[in-house]
Amino acid sequence: MERTYIMLKPDCVERGLIGEVISRIERKGYQITAMKMMHLDEPILREHYSHLVNEDFFPLLVDFMMSGPVVAMIVEGEDCIAGMRRLMGPTNNANAAPGTIRGDLACSNRLNIIHGSDSPETAEAEIKRFFG
């Protein structure tokens, strides 16, 4: 059984799409084993997005991620890291197919609804970061 970290971003919460996204995750057969709503601060965002700190858009990303609450989840299931990434669709919603979360619900590359870990190592680090 594999586990991954999933985060519903402020645009998902603000638009009232939490239930829609959770429903898609559960219909896929994955189990949400932990979930909490939280507000993120700059230190945790600098850690989480450390690979993007030097990008020009980083201040906008931090502002967006601090603009409202997020929903942090641990999701478990067979091959759930790759499976969740397929279910989410590519980060850039313009490249996301209909039927994916981002393809159906995201408004832009920046307002893209959801984050998911990209590897087992990242999943464990992100689970530790957001759940202790």
Side-chain angles (χ1 to χ4, degrees):
M1 193 65 65
E2 190 172 64
R3 67 186 194 155
T4 191
Y5 175 73
I6 300 296
M7 178 170 44
L8 306 185
K9 297 180 179 182
D11 56 325
C12 183
V13 176
E14 181 181 336
R15 291 177 53 206
L17 298 172
I18 297 169
E20 168 74 20
V21 174
I22 287 173
S23 183
R24 288 177 183 224
I25 292 168
E26 291 177 331
R27 280 197 315 262
K28 187 69 179 170
Y30 300 130
Q31 290 192 349
I32 298 168
T33 58
M35 180 170 49
K36 64 181 175 180
M37 185 174 279
M38 59 192 300
H39 288 271
L40 304 179
D41 59 20
E42 189 168 340
I44 200 166
L45 289 166
R46 285 190 164 278
E47 181 182 343
H48 184 64
Y49 292 115
S50 62
H51 60 290
L52 301 174
V53 169
N54 295 321
E55 298 290 340
D56 292 340
F57 61 83
F58 184 73
L60 291 173
L61 176 61
V62 169
D63 287 346
F64 164 61
M65 293 300 293
M66 291 183 1
S67 70
V70 300
V71 176
M73 296 184 279
I74 299 172
V75 175
E76 294 185 0
E78 188 173 329
D79 195 32
C80 72
I81 294 172
M84 278 301 306
R85 294 191 64 79
R86 284 189 301 273
L87 185 63
M88 291 186 306
T91 301
N92 185 340
N93 73 309
N95 300 326
T100 64
I101 292 168
R102 290 179 176 138
D104 292 347
L105 304 174
C107 294
S108 70
N109 186 39
R110 188 171 71 91
L111 302 175
N112 65 15
I113 304 290
I114 191 168
H115 163 83
S117 303
D118 62 1
S119 70
E121 297 77 22
T122 303
E124 287 307 310
E126 291 176 343
I127 289 168
K128 183 178 180 184
R129 179 177 302 128
F130 291 102
F131 284 92

